[in-house]
């Protein structure tokens, strides 16, 4: 469908698609097999000015918004979900700074991210604090102009590769949700180390590690926003980056449909290509409908955010849930259409199916997203009374 | 270094091109045009020299108006200026007339230290235009470069030969044609693409470059293409069919026979 993208947006789409097809496609199976971090690809994206897509021009970026970010993530993920999330995770890591950081903080960190010299990471999750972020155990204790951080963050995308980390810690355990504070912690700060790289089902090119804080001294200037504001920073950030997960899901699903279509066109059984069989045609049609529906909602949400919407929590949760459930179904069907071949590592769709699974889990499970959506529905209902 | 001129040619994507067996001409309909890949290597070499030593990179091309798009692509990659050399009088140029015309265009640019070309175009495959420009300008030329270093007005070039490379030195100004192994051309950047969008490509006609019509176009071309054809397959061919292992074994036996 023609979404009336601007000339700039089409330009971004074209450029990323070209890079994805020429540079990512030939290595995606290797990256999946080895779990190697795609530094070379990140370098190409950086040299093409794509790392600063969503960063304002005054901080060296391109000045795009949610739409540009999602178009890029979708186009990369269409070829490789692992590379797609590596790109998107830097946006997640620096959105707290973008939305809540002081001008000084923005000047200090954003230009290097925009230039692709540094990656960013977002560190909220812990072993005992997943969906229940309030159960966080990482502490930051004030000591003069500094805070002393202790604790361990788990499953942090870009962990160990990112120089700039948005880290959430409890500064006042008595204050509940108002006792959390966000800090920028730079890689190399004494006492800050990384656990082993996790061995994952999918998105294996992306790096996932523990972030370990042992008496890490962080200056108060590194607080993102205000002390005690950490949860608000986290929630606002996730509202903004959740459509990025949806973009990843749409990309992965589209990639699997591309493969299934090509396979169905060339695979001959019973003397003719299987694309001539109605059962296959109907599966392909359903996949295409689902993908287009998700894409249409995604772009609508992005445009709403870029137009300056204040509260888009519900919409972000809706598109994240819809697109990720869709991607799981579509990639599974792609494997089904390709049968035994689809199940084999020699073909890319089993990887896409593995990559799709995480989109239902991270940045808030789809179950939690449904809770959020329902809460909004009830709120709207009571407002109507 | 002051100015580096890069000459590019827009060519049909030969991976996709076919020849009409009846007329022996290229089937151009529906074939996408690309920048000659070796010329992208030349541009990349220029951009790297610019990054290292500072220079302005000026890209020129002779061709019809649609070549403006190709020139804009070079802006997106980082070229500073472009110009299209285009005039009805240039139509039908062979390599002599093309070299002359491009050299006339280069004469209008001040302080040129280096002229870079791809080693050849993938459509004509002549490899004559780069050297031709050097002859018309009466300056040195080094062909098939795989490495270019610059220090204080002097270039050191590694030139690919059959079993290795020669190292040559030459003073500016000169013409260098580059081979594929010299570098990997970069992708356009987003900022470059934005700049390319706003640029109006200047067109230089015969009068602008003071081209003498006895040397340009069909009239100025001492050679003419009489015919293009797909050469017949040489020798006898034999195709082994059947199981892969068996056909491979038969192929090896056949090769052994031939070597004897």
């Amino acid at each position: 469908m023609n979404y009336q993208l601007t000339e700039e947006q089409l330009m971004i789409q074209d450029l990323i698609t070209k890079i994805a097809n020429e540079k990512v496609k030939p290595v995606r199976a290797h990256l999946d097999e080895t779990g190697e971090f795609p530094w070379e690809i990140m370098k190409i994206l950086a040299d093409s000015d794509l790392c600063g897509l969503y960063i304002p021009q005054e901080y060296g970026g391109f000045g795009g918004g949610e739409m540009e970010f999602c178009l890029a993530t979708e186009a990369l993920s269409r070829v490789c979900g692992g590379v797609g999330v590596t790109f998107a995770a830097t946006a997640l890591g620096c959105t707290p700074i973008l939305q809540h950081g002081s001008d000084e903080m923005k000047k200090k960190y954003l230009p290097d991210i925009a230039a692709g010299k540094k990656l960013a990471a977002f560190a909220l999750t812990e072993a005992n604090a997943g969906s229940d972020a309030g159960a966080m155990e990482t502490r930051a204790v004030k000591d003069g102009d500094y805070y002393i951080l202790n604790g361990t963050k788990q499953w942090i995308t870009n962990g160990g590769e990112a120089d700039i980390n948005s880290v959430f810690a409890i500064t006042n355990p008595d204050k509940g949700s108002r006792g959390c504070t966000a800090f920028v912690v730079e890689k190399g700060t004494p006492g800050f180390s990384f656990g082993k790289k996790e061995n994952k089902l999918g998105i294996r090119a992306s790096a996932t590690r523990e972030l370990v804080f042992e008496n890490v001294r962080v200056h108060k200037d590194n607080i993102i926003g205000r002390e005690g504001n950490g949860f608000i920073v986290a929630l606002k950030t996730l509202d903004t980056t959740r459509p990025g997960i949806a973009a990843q899901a749409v990309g992965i699903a589209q990639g699997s449909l591309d493969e299934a279509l090509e396979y169905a066109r060339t695979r001959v059984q019973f003397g003719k290509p299987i694309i001539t069989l109605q059962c296959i045609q109907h599966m392909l049609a359903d996949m295409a409908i689902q993908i287009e529906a998700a894409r249409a909602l995604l772009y609508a949400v992005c445009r709403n955010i870029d137009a300056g919407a204040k509260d888009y929590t519900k919409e972000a949760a809706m598109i994240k849930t819809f697109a990720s459930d869709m991607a799981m179904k579509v990639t599974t069907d792609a494997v089904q259409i390709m049968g035994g071949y689809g199940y084999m590592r020699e073909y890319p769709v089993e990887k896409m199916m593995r990559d799709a699974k995480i989109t239902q889990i991270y940045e808030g499970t789809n179950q939690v997203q449904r809770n959020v959506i329902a809460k909004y529905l009830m709120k709207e209902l009571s407002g109507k009374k | 270094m002051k100015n580096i001129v890069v000459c590019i040619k827009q060519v049909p994507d030969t991976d996709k091109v076919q020849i009409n067996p009846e007329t022996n001409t290229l089937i151009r309909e529906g074939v996408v045009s690309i920048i000659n890949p070796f010329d992208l290597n030349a541009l990349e070499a220029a951009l790297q020299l610019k990054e290292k030593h500072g220079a302005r990179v000026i890209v020129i091309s002779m061709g019809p108006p649609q070549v403006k798009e190709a020139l804009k692509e070079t802006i997106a990659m980082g070229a500073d200026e472009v110009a299209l050399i285009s005039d009805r009088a240039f139509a039908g140029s062979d390599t002599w007339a093309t070299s002359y015309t491009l050299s006339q265009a280069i004469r209008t640019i001040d302080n040129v230290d280096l002229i870079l070309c791809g080693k050849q175009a993938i459509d004509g495959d002549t490899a004559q235009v780069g050297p031709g420009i050097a002859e018309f300008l009466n300056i040195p030329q080094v062909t098939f470069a795989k490495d270019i270093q610059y220090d204080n007005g002097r270039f050191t070039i590694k030139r690919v030969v059959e079993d290795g490379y020669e190292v040559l030195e030459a003073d500016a100004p000169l013409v260098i044609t580059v081979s594929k192994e010299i570098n990997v051309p970069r992708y356009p950047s987003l900022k470059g693409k934005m700049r390319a969008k706003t640029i109006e490509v200047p067109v230089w006609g015969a009068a602008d470059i003071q081209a003498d019509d006895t040397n340009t176009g069909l009239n100025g071309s001492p050679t003419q293409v009489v015919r293009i054809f797909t050469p017949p397959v040489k020798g006898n061919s034999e195709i082994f069919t059947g199981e892969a292992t068996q056909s491979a074994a038969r192929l090896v036996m056949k090769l052994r026979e031939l070597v004897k």
Side-chain angles (χ1 to χ4, degrees):
Chain A
M1 189 160 30
N2 185 343
Y3 289 99
Q4 312 300 333
L5 299 179
T6 65
E7 206 179 328
E8 275 179 28
Q9 287 164 348
L10 290 170
M11 206 184 267
I12 293 164
Q13 219 176 28
D14 282 356
L15 183 55
I16 298 233
T17 301
K18 188 174 159 69
I19 294 172
N21 285 332
E22 290 174 11
K23 298 289 172 180
V24 183
K25 202 176 249 177
V27 298
R28 65 180 169 190
H30 172 80
L31 295 175
D32 179 56
E33 188 75 31
T34 59
E36 219 169 84
F37 192 78
W39 272 117
E40 223 169 284
I41 295 162
M42 289 300 122
K43 170 93 173 61
I44 294 170
L45 294 177
D47 289 343
S48 302
D49 300 330
L50 293 162
C51 290
L53 212 48
Y54 45 85
I55 291 174
Q57 287 177 352
E58 55 183 311
Y59 304 113
F62 183 72
E66 190 79 16
M67 190 71 180
E68 285 74 16
F69 165 62
C70 283
L71 286 170
T73 305
E74 180 190 340
L76 270 181
S77 303
R78 183 170 181 166
V79 170
C80 178
V83 171
V85 70
T86 301
F87 169 78
T90 288
L92 173 63
C94 75
T95 297
I97 302 173
L98 268 170
Q99 291 184 337
H100 302 273
S102 62
D103 189 48
E104 240 168 54
M105 183 180 264
K106 287 179 186 171
K107 275 188 191 138
K108 186 171 175 191
Y109 295 113
L110 295 180
D112 280 350
I113 292 174
K117 285 183 196 151
K118 289 176 179 175
L119 302 184
F122 179 87
L124 179 69
T125 300
E126 297 180 5
N128 296 318
S131 296
D132 181 9
M136 187 186 297
E137 288 160 7
T138 299
R139 293 278 181 273
V141 178
K142 199 163 188 201
D143 179 28
D145 280 348
Y146 286 82
Y147 286 76
I148 317 284
L149 265 68
N150 277 290
T152 300
K153 294 289 172 183
Q154 185 171 267
W155 302 333
I156 306 308
T157 307
N158 281 355
E161 311 291 345
D163 283 288
I164 298 162
N165 300 273
S166 294
V167 179
F168 296 82
I170 300 294
T171 39
N172 189 341
D174 303 328
K175 278 197 165 170
S177 66
R178 285 166 183 269
C180 176
T181 304
F183 297 89
V184 176
V185 186
E186 286 182 68
K187 185 177 166 178
T189 308
F192 178 23
S193 62
F194 302 97
K196 70 165 177 49
K197 196 166 170 175
E198 303 290 349
N199 195 6
K200 305 185 292 289
L201 173 74
I203 55 161
R204 292 172 53 82
S206 79
T208 312
R209 286 193 181 85
E210 271 182 351
L211 269 53
V212 183
F213 302 91
E214 292 166 304
N215 293 319
V216 179
R217 285 172 70 80
V218 178
H219 195 269
K220 66 175 168 48
D221 288 351
N222 282 26
I223 289 180
I224 308 170
R226 285 181 286 115
E227 185 181 318
N229 229 15
F231 273 122
I232 293 170
V233 172
L235 293 177
K236 206 74 206 144
T237 294
L238 290 167
D239 282 348
T240 310
T241 55
R242 253 175 217 129
I245 302 300
Q248 201 192 330
V250 171
I252 294 170
Q254 182 66 57
S256 76
L257 176 59
D258 296 342
E259 296 292 335
L261 270 171
E262 183 55 28
Y263 179 87
R265 192 177 66 84
T266 51
R267 170 69 169 172
V268 175
Q269 289 288 274
F270 310 110
K272 53 189 177 182
I274 62 169
I275 202 165
T276 59
L277 304 172
Q278 199 180 48
C279 63
I280 299 291
Q281 291 175 353
H282 284 191
M283 284 178 82
L284 290 167
D286 279 334
M287 291 159 79
I289 295 167
Q290 293 297 305
I291 293 169
E292 212 56 71
R295 185 178 286 130
L297 179 56
L298 171 65
Y299 293 176
V301 171
C302 288
R303 283 180 170 143
N304 187 35
I305 295 174
D306 288 336
K310 281 230 155 61
D311 185 350
Y312 42 86
T313 305
K314 183 180 79 175
E315 292 76 10
M318 281 177 159
I319 185 52
K320 191 270 183 188
T321 307
F322 184 73
S324 58
D325 285 350
M326 176 282 291
M328 198 64 241
K329 168 138 182 45
V330 166
T331 53
T332 308
D333 285 348
V335 172
Q336 190 67 25
I337 287 172
M338 293 175 64
Y341 290 102
Y343 199 69
M344 299 297 146
R345 289 268 160 119
E346 281 78 10
Y347 287 79
V349 286
E350 61 82 29
K351 170 190 179 293
M352 293 168 174
M353 183 176 158
R354 287 184 284 113
D355 286 353
K357 185 64 208 173
I358 191 62
T359 62
Q360 294 179 302
I361 301 171
Y362 62 13
E363 293 204 20
T365 63
N366 284 5
Q367 285 68 30
V368 167
Q369 302 311 309
R370 288 185 168 90
N371 290 350
V372 170
I373 296 160
K375 206 158 86 186
Y376 267 80
L377 294 178
M378 290 185 283
K379 211 166 99 183
E380 286 160 12
L381 199 62
S382 62
K384 271 186 193 158
K385 278 191 298 196
Chain B
M1 227 183 301
K2 293 225 171 74
N3 289 325
I4 302 175
V5 174
V6 181
C7 304
I8 67 158
K9 181 180 186 185
Q10 195 180 48
V11 294
D13 193 345
T14 47
D15 282 350
K16 286 151 194 147
V17 96
Q18 286 181 324
I19 291 173
N20 181 333
E22 280 168 22
T23 59
N24 281 324
T25 53
L26 295 180
I27 303 170
R28 286 185 181 267
E29 289 80 41
V31 177
V32 238
S33 291
I34 56 169
I35 297 176
N36 179 41
F38 298 116
D39 301 350
L40 288 178
N41 293 111
L43 175 59
E44 178 63 35
L47 295 171
Q48 286 181 11
L49 286 167
K50 170 188 166 174
E51 280 159 4
K52 215 165 162 186
H53 305 285
R56 281 190 78 70
V57 175
I58 302 153
V59 181
I60 61 171
S61 185
M62 187 179 105
Q66 63 259 34
V67 177
K68 281 182 183 177
E69 285 312 307
L71 287 165
K72 283 189 170 202
E73 221 176 297
T74 70
I75 292 271
M77 286 173 70
D80 296 294
E81 282 172 46
V82 293
L84 174 66
I85 321 301
S86 192
D87 198 307
R88 280 178 190 280
F90 303 153
S93 294
D94 69 354
T95 57
W96 169 281
T98 305
S99 307
Y100 167 78
T101 310
L102 287 170
S103 71
Q104 283 302 107
I106 293 164
R107 280 181 199 279
T108 66
I109 304 167
D110 291 333
N111 298 315
V112 175
D113 284 320
L114 174 63
I115 296 146
L116 280 166
C117 306
K119 67 167 181 160
Q120 67 201 63
I122 56 167
D123 56 351
D125 269 340
T126 66
Q128 290 170 356
V129 172
I133 293 169
E135 286 309 303
F136 278 112
L137 293 174
N138 198 22
I139 57 175
Q141 55 170 293
V142 176
T143 50
F144 307 138
K146 64 168 229 171
D147 185 65
I148 303 170
Q149 298 298 326
Y150 175 78
D151 184 34
N152 204 20
R154 169 156 290 207
F155 290 92
T156 307
I157 303 115
K158 287 182 184 162
R159 177 178 188 272
V160 179
V161 290
E162 206 160 313
D163 46 3
Y165 60 85
E166 300 172 339
V167 180
L168 300 161
E169 285 186 351
D171 290 334
L174 84 160
V175 173
I176 301 177
T177 75
V178 306
S179 68
K180 195 176 163 53
E181 38 285 56
I182 193 166
N183 54 41
V184 179
R186 67 192 62 192
Y187 281 91
S189 74
L190 217 44
K191 283 170 195 163
K193 275 177 164 273
M194 295 298 289
R195 195 176 153 241
K197 213 175 71 172
T198 60
I199 277 210
E200 194 60 50
V201 177
V203 180
W204 298 350
D208 300 312
I209 60 172
Q210 294 174 13
D212 156 17
D213 64 7
T214 57
N215 274 319
T216 59
L218 204 55
N219 283 340
S221 296
T223 62
Q224 273 168 40
V225 179
V226 181
R227 189 158 78 94
I228 299 174
F229 60 95
T230 314
V233 182
K234 282 180 201 160
N236 301 320
S237 66
E238 195 175 332
I239 293 169
F240 301 103
T241 51
E243 279 289 313
T245 45
Q246 288 169 11
S247 5
R250 278 159 57 205
L251 172 65
V252 171
M253 274 167 57
K254 184 78 193 177
L255 288 172
R256 282 214 177 108
E257 270 172 39
L258 290 173
V259 173
K260 266 179 210 166

